[in-house]
Amino acid sequence: MTGQGGIGLSVGMLLRRAATVAPRKEVREVGLAEQPRGTSWAALHERVRRLVDGLRHLGVGQGSTVTTFAWNSTRHLEWFFGVPMAGAVLVPVNVRFSDEQIEWVVTHAGSRVMVVDASLTAHLAKLLPRLRSVRRFVVLPDGGEVHPAFADALPYEKLLADADPVEPRDVAENRTACLCYTGGTTGNPKAVAHSHRSLALHSLAMCAADAFAVSERDIIFPLTPLFHATAWGLPYAAALAGAGLVFTGPHLHPEAIARTLRQERVTLSAGVPTFWLALDEMDPPTEVFASLERIVCGGSAIPAGLVHRYADRGVTMQQGLGMTENMATVALTNVRSNLTSLPPEKQLELHHTQGLAVPGVEVRLVDEEDRLLPHDGVTQGELEVRSLWGATRYENPDGDADTEKFHDGWLRSGDIATVDPDGYIRITDRSKDLIKSGGEWISSIVVESALMDHPGVLEAAVVAVPDARWQERPLAVVVHRSGATATADELRSFLRDRLPKWWVPDRFEFVPEIAKTATNKFDKKLLRSRHADH
């Protein structure tokens, strides 16, 4: 709660600061049909004030839930501020979820109002009979056609035109601001509640020099979608700092990324390795990177060679570690002051780790009996996390989900890791993705990273497959770079110089594309199922 004479930690506080200290700083969207379209923090604040009043007319108030089903845009961003500022709960739905998952999330959240991009109405039309809790749909204009099934939906601009720019009251700090749903790779997606307080604290941490270092001078281009842990919290941090923002909707092919980086003079961008690998293969001209200072990359391991190639372009690629339960921010690679005397090549190697816990986060290693393990850079254990803003339970525990993931205030990450004496975390694998061959553990992540350092490999995923003699053996699923023809024998020879002999995969499958989850990570569960007959 707001103390006497104090400022409440709330989503409203973040937006008010942007409108006050950076009123003319642009928030833009490019690449959409009616684009480019620019607004400013002051203008966005005005529209959000109208949205709060419009939500009241729709019957949305304290405790109500509002679901969004949309790509990144300035209009979608307005709901990320307006819904919490109205005292309601925002529920962004991953547009890549299956139909069953979409239905499950909307039903579980009990949403009465659902917001959808015009271009996504056709996708949602077939689900309308199953979204029984929704009483009103609001359509965001994005240049796409509105499906006839949404003929009675309320156009967003009309909702704003009929509303007044009210000044909403501050919301209690501990009230839930948004529900973010996990990927649901096992069972239904799990709901993670984030309060106004946790969003504000996370935003403050993102502005720290030893975290994302977001500042007013930045122009931020999140490739991460708003429906994925609120784009890793970057829009909220941008508001707090008064930084510029750029969105491109679903247009994230390499040419669009390169064009946006160059034309919008982006200084900070963030996204999963898939985007940066594709842009690297495109090898755009140097002017694309003229203003870009740093890339935050997470979601899966970054090939070591990729870090070096972006460094050659003058861009620092920082590897991040996060999870929905912690607003996608746990650790980030920075070079500690006592290590700056290392040769540049050795400093770059620190970016191959998952980095240091950011301010506000604590980490530890435990064994299978929950005993604490040393941070010696050698001993492996499960990484556990707690933070100032992290969730401590799920809103829809499925059986023993809470017991399995949360205990004594700590979150079990499911990652097997080491932590060295300087605090650098190195993930060796997901516990469920480790390969046990003849009693010896093999890290799929290390094998993947080594494979993607081969000049002929664009992407590689490594999974365990049954083996009569060794119980399990690694199988590599590989996507060639354009024009490359690396053979299985060539890749084996390449790996033998870099890995223990028994880590080298026996079999390789060459595919045009590797299946990915709704959060754009390799779908190893599906890959294991597909290749179980090996």
Side-chain angles (χ1 to χ4, degrees):
M1 294 293 290
T2 305
Q4 185 175 358
I7 300 175
L9 295 175
S10 68
V11 170
M13 177 271 289
L14 303 177
L15 182 57
R16 286 196 305 273
R17 187 173 192 282
T20 301
V21 304
R24 293 186 295 276
K25 185 63 67 71
E26 283 194 304
V27 181
R28 289 170 54 79
E29 53 190 47
V30 296
L32 302 181
E34 52 185 59
Q35 295 313 315
R37 176 181 181 269
T39 185
S40 65
W41 281 119
L44 191 141
H45 183 220
E46 176 80 2
R47 285 171 62 86
V48 168
R49 290 170 61 200
R50 289 183 177 275
L51 174 55
V52 171
D53 189 50
L55 288 169
R56 180 177 61 82
H57 290 304
L58 291 177
V60 173
Q62 300 282 350
S64 302
T65 55
V66 175
T67 303
T68 66
F69 193 74
W71 296 106
N72 286 4
S73 69
T74 59
R75 292 182 177 98
H76 192 190
L77 179 65
E78 288 162 9
W79 292 80
F80 275 69
F81 288 102
V83 174
M85 288 169 64
V89 179
L90 178 76
V91 184
V93 178
N94 190 328
V95 303
R96 300 187 184 99
F97 274 172
S98 67
D99 290 350
E100 290 71 23
Q101 289 174 321
I102 294 168
E103 176 191 1
W104 194 92
V105 168
V106 174
T107 302
H108 175 262
S111 297
R112 295 301 182 95
V113 173
M114 188 165 185
V115 184
V116 57
D117 275 344
S119 61
L120 291 174
T121 52
H123 181 115
L124 210 57
K126 62 182 179 297
L127 287 178
L128 285 181
R130 296 154 62 179
L131 306 179
R132 298 183 183 88
S133 67
V134 181
R135 297 290 178 265
R136 199 68 193 267
F137 287 91
V138 179
V139 175
L140 304 182
D142 66 351
E145 293 291 328
V146 179
H147 191 276
F150 286 82
D152 295 330
L154 178 63
Y156 179 41
E157 294 304 320
K158 177 170 174 51
L159 174 68
L160 294 190
D162 292 343
D164 296 317
V166 300
E167 193 59 52
R169 296 175 58 185
D170 272 340
V171 180
E173 289 182 354
N174 292 323
R175 182 174 289 279
T176 299
C178 69
L179 281 180
C180 295
Y181 284 78
T182 63
T185 52
T186 56
N188 291 319
K190 294 178 177 62
V192 179
H194 293 294
S195 67
H196 283 259
R197 178 181 176 82
S198 64
L199 292 176
L201 287 172
H202 180 260
S203 299
L204 284 164
M206 296 274 277
C207 295
D210 288 326
F212 282 44
V214 172
S215 73
E216 181 275 336
R217 61 177 293 278
D218 277 317
I219 298 174
I220 303 172
F221 176 27
L223 277 64
T224 51
L226 284 164
F227 52 72
H228 187 196
T230 69
W232 296 359
L234 280 167
Y236 288 132
L240 179 62
L245 268 176
V246 183
F247 296 124
T248 59
H251 305 290
L252 292 175
H253 50 82
E255 293 78 12
I257 293 172
R259 183 170 58 250
T260 303
L261 292 174
R262 182 182 67 252
Q263 293 180 355
E264 302 300 320
R265 300 197 59 77
V266 172
T267 62
L268 168 62
S269 190
V272 296
T274 302
F275 298 127
W276 307 115
L277 285 163
L279 184 63
D280 174 59
E281 185 182 25
M282 176 184 161
D283 194 21
T286 55
E287 56 263 28
V288 165
F289 307 100
S291 59
L292 187 63
E293 298 171 359
R294 59 204 189 281
I295 292 169
V296 176
C297 191
S300 59
I302 308 174
L306 192 67
V307 175
H308 292 253
R309 291 194 293 277
Y310 275 96
D312 290 341
R313 297 174 171 119
V315 180
T316 299
M317 176 168 276
Q318 296 174 282
Q319 185 157 196
L321 172 66
M323 53 202 75
T324 304
E325 294 86 348
N326 270 282
M327 285 301 300
T329 307
V330 171
L332 190 69
T333 52
N334 283 298
V335 179
R336 287 185 51 144
S337 58
N338 64 311
L339 301 175
T340 54
S341 59
L342 291 173
E345 194 72 11
K346 289 293 184 182
Q347 292 186 45
L348 270 180
E349 288 179 7
L350 296 173
H351 293 276
H352 305 164
T353 73
Q354 278 64 45
L356 304 160
V358 302
V361 173
E362 292 182 333
V363 299
R364 70 181 188 183
L365 296 177
V366 299
D367 64 14
E368 293 178 351
E369 282 75 43
D370 290 335
R371 291 175 299 200
L372 294 179
L373 299 173
H375 292 185
D376 56 12
V378 176
T379 306
Q380 297 187 67
E382 182 172 11
L383 185 72
E384 294 194 336
V385 178
R386 65 181 179 185
S387 69
L388 294 175
W389 51 81
T392 57
R393 63 183 177 88
Y394 293 120
E395 297 301 303
N396 58 317
D398 181 10
D400 295 326
D402 278 354
T403 305
E404 292 172 0
K405 292 290 287 187
F406 301 99
H407 71 110
D408 301 329
W410 292 85
L411 168 69
R412 305 177 196 269
S413 71
D415 290 317
I416 305 302
T418 63
V419 181
D420 72 17
D422 285 307
Y424 285 91
I425 302 164
R426 189 180 294 273
I427 303 296
T428 56
D429 218 334
R430 295 286 294 170
S431 57
K432 61 187 178 184
D433 293 333
L434 279 169
I435 302 165
K436 195 166 191 178
S437 182
E440 298 284 350
W441 290 110
I442 297 173
S443 167
S444 67
I445 287 177
V446 172
V447 182
E448 288 164 359
S449 183
L451 269 171
M452 286 189 282
D453 277 337
H454 188 282
V457 175
L458 178 62
E459 288 187 325
V462 175
V463 295
V465 292
D467 185 88
R469 181 178 181 186
W470 304 110
Q471 286 76 55
E472 291 182 339
R473 288 296 297 152
L475 175 141
V477 183
V478 173
V479 178
H480 280 126
R481 285 185 175 272
S482 178
T485 58
T487 65
D489 286 341
E490 181 182 341
L491 294 179
R492 284 193 197 94
S493 177
F494 179 81
L495 293 177
R496 287 190 186 107
D497 294 333
R498 292 161 174 79
L499 301 173
K501 180 180 178 180
W502 67 89
W503 284 34
V504 177
D506 297 326
R507 297 182 178 89
F508 290 80
E509 293 284 341
F510 295 97
V511 297
E513 183 178 4
I514 297 176
K516 296 183 177 65
T517 67
T519 53
N520 225 15
K521 299 176 184 178
F522 294 142
D523 193 338
K524 292 194 174 182
K525 180 182 177 182
L526 177 61
L527 292 176
R528 281 190 290 266
S529 173
R530 261 183 201 168
H531 300 286
D533 59 345
H534 279 283

